[in-house]
Amino acid sequence: MKFNPVIEHLKTYEPGKPIELVVREFGIDPKDIVKLASNENPKGCSPKAAKVVADAASLMYRYPDDSMMELKAALCQRFGISEKEIIIGAGSDQIIEFLCHAKLYGGAKILQSEVTFAMYQIYAAACGASVIKAPGLAHDLDAMYKLYKEHEPEIIFICAPNNPTGDCLDLKDIENFIEKIDENTLVVVDGAYQEYASYKDPNKAINPADLINKFSNTIYLGTFSKAYGLGGMRVGYGIASEHIIKSLYKLRPPFNVTTLSLIAAVESLKDSEFVEESIKECFEQMNSYIEFAQKFGIKVIESYTNFITYILDGINDSTFIADALLRQGIIVRNLKGYGLNAIRITIGKENENQRFFNAMQELLKTGK
């Protein structure tokens, strides 16, 4: 059977290993597995959100409200935008897919940082587009601008904070970059981890309303999968000028977000205390990772997210470390697929983090 030839060259996105797979492969009791690979909130979701979902479980036979008016209204109140400036997706990555289908045709190109969220490249390549990458671990905006002038891409992706490294650009640098971009080039500012960055450093904080009011060619992406702890519900959103949103709606399938997902997202937005406490605890626990890295001479990328990246050059091989930890029931993300000898670790609960430190210390001391 013949398929679109571009599929042959696509790399399959590899998510963090699920607990169920580790149970099957290694026979480890689920309660002994520590999952620190998928940047989930270790506190889970808001108890209030969990309760309203449980109370509404009997509604799952009904199609969701396809207007999504309640969630849109809550987001509009949160960000000071209008309902015509927002689109809801099954995760923010679905909106990335919409954007690629909307803009990439006839030999199109995208521009991104060399090490960033893998789905930008996958969705773009699926549309037959070329992918231009600015070299380096972090977003080098000067290099990106040179490549922009040379290649004239249809879409530019900026991940702030960046996944999988955790670094984050200052807002002023992002705005100075976008000011130089032609209005027909779409600039995607992916703020999946913005709740963490804005808590840690106001210079990193992005106000979506301000951004799209300044730049009509820009879309801001947000998600409920990280700080809000709703990764399993798959809810994301895009905020942009009305003419961009109107075009994206033509690509949105009906009922793309479930009834229970919408209910959970609305309630989660109300529980700001839960989110703030989760972020506060995350950065408190992250200090232990920084201290551990300093003790063993591991290079750390300063993180503005709920994960931290250990560069293992001169220390050990990231594949060996990740696999050895996995056999002990500790799941981390090996970044070898990104061309890095590094591992990415989600900041977990204190006892989960200690499990990692104990196992990692033994590996570094014994090499096995």
Side-chain angles (χ1 to χ4, degrees):
M1 182 180 292
K2 291 184 179 180
F3 293 97
N4 187 330
V6 301
I7 294 176
E8 282 186 39
H9 307 289
L10 290 181
K11 289 185 178 181
T12 302
Y13 180 77
E14 296 182 11
K17 280 185 179 290
I19 289 174
E20 294 79 7
L21 182 59
V22 178
V23 171
R24 290 196 298 269
E25 286 188 0
F26 299 99
I28 302 172
D29 192 312
K31 72 178 189 310
D32 294 326
I33 295 175
V34 176
K35 187 182 181 187
L36 304 175
S38 298
N39 305 337
E40 297 152 334
N41 186 335
K43 290 171 67 68
C45 69
S46 160
K48 296 176 182 178
K51 184 180 186 305
V52 297
V53 168
D55 292 344
S58 63
L59 298 176
M60 66 177 71
Y61 76 101
R62 294 244 186 231
Y63 282 108
D65 170 16
D66 199 45
S67 72
M68 307 183 196
M69 290 306 297
E70 191 173 0
L71 179 54
K72 285 182 182 178
L75 287 167
C76 289
Q77 183 176 8
R78 169 74 182 274
F79 293 117
I81 55 175
S82 78
E83 293 170 1
K84 294 180 179 180
E85 294 173 322
I86 191 164
I87 185 169
I88 311 295
S92 56
D93 52 318
Q94 185 180 47
I95 299 168
I96 296 169
E97 183 179 19
F98 295 162
L99 293 168
C100 288
H101 282 294
K103 282 289 288 180
L104 303 178
Y105 55 90
K109 302 173 185 177
I110 72 162
L111 174 61
Q112 64 172 62
S113 184
E114 182 176 11
V115 181
T116 193
F117 185 43
M119 292 309 299
Y120 306 150
Q121 178 171 347
I122 290 172
Y123 283 134
C127 293
S130 300
V131 180
I132 312 300
K133 298 182 180 181
L137 271 177
H139 284 66
D140 183 338
L141 294 180
D142 290 336
M144 290 183 75
Y145 183 68
K146 289 179 182 177
L147 289 169
Y148 158 74
K149 294 295 287 183
E150 179 182 352
H151 294 280
E152 298 182 345
E154 277 67 31
I155 303 178
I156 300 173
F157 287 99
I158 297 174
C159 197
N162 192 31
N163 178 21
T165 54
D167 60 286
C168 189
L169 295 162
D170 282 355
L171 172 61
K172 66 177 182 180
D173 293 329
I174 294 173
E175 291 184 332
N176 290 340
F177 175 81
I178 299 175
E179 282 178 353
K180 299 183 290 185
I181 304 303
D182 182 84
E183 63 179 12
N184 195 47
T185 299
L186 178 66
V187 181
V188 181
V189 178
D190 189 343
Y193 298 89
Q194 255 298 309
E195 289 84 1
Y196 295 93
S198 59
Y199 176 91
K200 182 175 180 178
D201 185 350
N203 292 318
K204 315 291 184 185
I206 299 173
N207 182 316
D210 290 344
L211 192 71
I212 68 169
N213 286 335
K214 288 181 181 178
F215 308 110
S216 62
N217 63 331
T218 299
I219 183 168
Y220 173 90
L221 303 181
T223 184
F224 287 89
S225 296
K226 309 306 177 186
Y228 291 95
L230 296 180
M233 302 303 277
R234 311 305 300 126
V235 190
Y237 54 90
I239 298 173
S241 56
E242 184 179 344
H243 77 280
I244 292 176
I245 298 300
K246 187 176 181 180
S247 294
L248 296 182
Y249 255 90
K250 296 178 180 179
L251 298 167
R252 185 187 71 90
F255 311 115
N256 62 316
V257 179
T258 72
T259 297
L260 298 184
S261 296
L262 293 170
I263 290 171
V266 170
E267 195 65 28
S268 294
L269 273 176
K270 297 176 184 177
D271 196 354
S272 58
E273 184 178 342
F274 171 83
V275 175
E276 290 171 9
E277 186 62 29
S278 296
I279 296 171
K280 179 175 178 285
E281 290 181 14
C282 169
F283 285 118
E284 288 173 350
Q285 289 296 315
M286 190 181 290
N287 289 330
S288 299
Y289 279 89
I290 296 169
E291 292 169 5
F292 182 91
Q294 291 171 341
K295 179 179 179 181
F296 289 94
I298 300 171
K299 180 182 176 183
V300 173
I301 298 173
E302 184 174 7
S303 176
Y304 295 86
T305 65
N306 65 342
F307 62 83
I308 194 165
T309 300
Y310 278 6
I311 305 294
L312 300 179
D313 293 342
I315 303 292
N316 210 313
D317 178 69
S318 64
T319 300
F320 167 78
I321 292 292
D323 289 348
L325 289 170
L326 189 62
R327 288 192 293 272
Q328 298 182 56
I330 302 168
I331 313 172
V332 299
R333 187 66 180 270
N334 180 15
L335 299 184
K336 194 63 67 88
Y338 287 86
L340 302 178
N341 184 37
I343 56 173
R344 188 192 70 188
I345 314 115
T346 305
I347 308 302
K349 298 177 182 177
E350 184 174 3
N351 65 308
E352 295 173 330
N353 299 329
Q354 194 57 53
R355 275 277 307 277
F356 169 83
F357 297 140
N358 292 342
M360 187 71 172
Q361 178 171 307
E362 187 65 21
L363 288 172
L364 294 175
K365 285 184 175 180
T366 65
K368 60 182 180 179

